[in-house]
Amino acid sequence: MERPGEGGEMAALRAAKRALRGELRQRLRALGAAEKRRQSRLLSRKVICHPKYQESKRIAIFLSMPDEIQTEEIIKDIFKQGKECFIPRYKPHSNHMDMLKLSSPEDISSLTLTSWNILQPSDDDSAREEALAGGGLDLIFMPGLGFDKKGNRLGRGKGYYDTYLERCMKHPSGKPYMIALAFREQICESVPVAENDVQVDEILYEDC
């Protein structure tokens, strides 16, 4: 049962998130390809030197959409360092996501392009290890539309990462360290959040 006023609060929160998503999408549309490449290269270097990255063996990372930090260089380094790499497979019309093992950077070219324009393993691909069916994850690199400096994250509204992190908490290896990768234009004064929205441990962007 909702407490008095709770329905109104939730509606206000949803409206605030929707407005901020619209503003952030505009900011990202205004960002040129060369600037995106520059910030992505800079962040790749920050990641590769990061102590949490260096000590992690099993790492989940997203395959970038055009309005996200490009993760290609980080993925290549994961394999170069002999670490294990896992990528999302999103289930449409739900908030279910798995993290499936990638065998090499070249393996990306064998993936299926979804209607959302995201590369991911196909639904009938059952040969890949799911991270939580094995040793869990040490580190997750998280995408998002916006972040504030307290670690609050504004996703795209589907809840994939929030529900996946709930599953991570139940795994014997425990909660992975969470690092968000962001363009400086995605850093906000404050991100509106509900109680069950998961905070990230750290946000990497140009000026941090």
Side-chain angles (χ1 to χ4, degrees), residues 97-137:
M97 172 178 80
D98 290 313
M99 289 290 184
L100 300 181
K101 194 169 184 180
L102 201 62
S103 60
S104 67
E106 294 71 36
D107 189 14
I108 294 170
S109 62
S110 74
L111 302 176
T112 309
L113 195 63
T114 68
S115 57
W116 300 334
N117 225 17
I118 298 173
L119 283 168
Q120 65 177 36
S122 62
D123 290 343
D124 59 3
D125 185 342
S126 57
R128 294 174 189 272
E129 179 195 336
E130 204 293 316
L132 299 182
L137 288 165

Side-chain angles (χ1 to χ4, degrees), residues 133-165:
L137 288 165
D138 303 317
L139 174 62
I140 296 186
F141 287 109
M142 300 193 42
L145 269 179
F147 307 90
D148 65 26
K149 290 177 184 176
K150 294 192 200 89
N152 293 315
R153 168 183 173 271
L154 182 70
R156 292 172 189 268
K158 306 280 187 194
Y160 285 110
Y161 277 86
D162 291 327
T163 50
Y164 191 76
L165 289 163

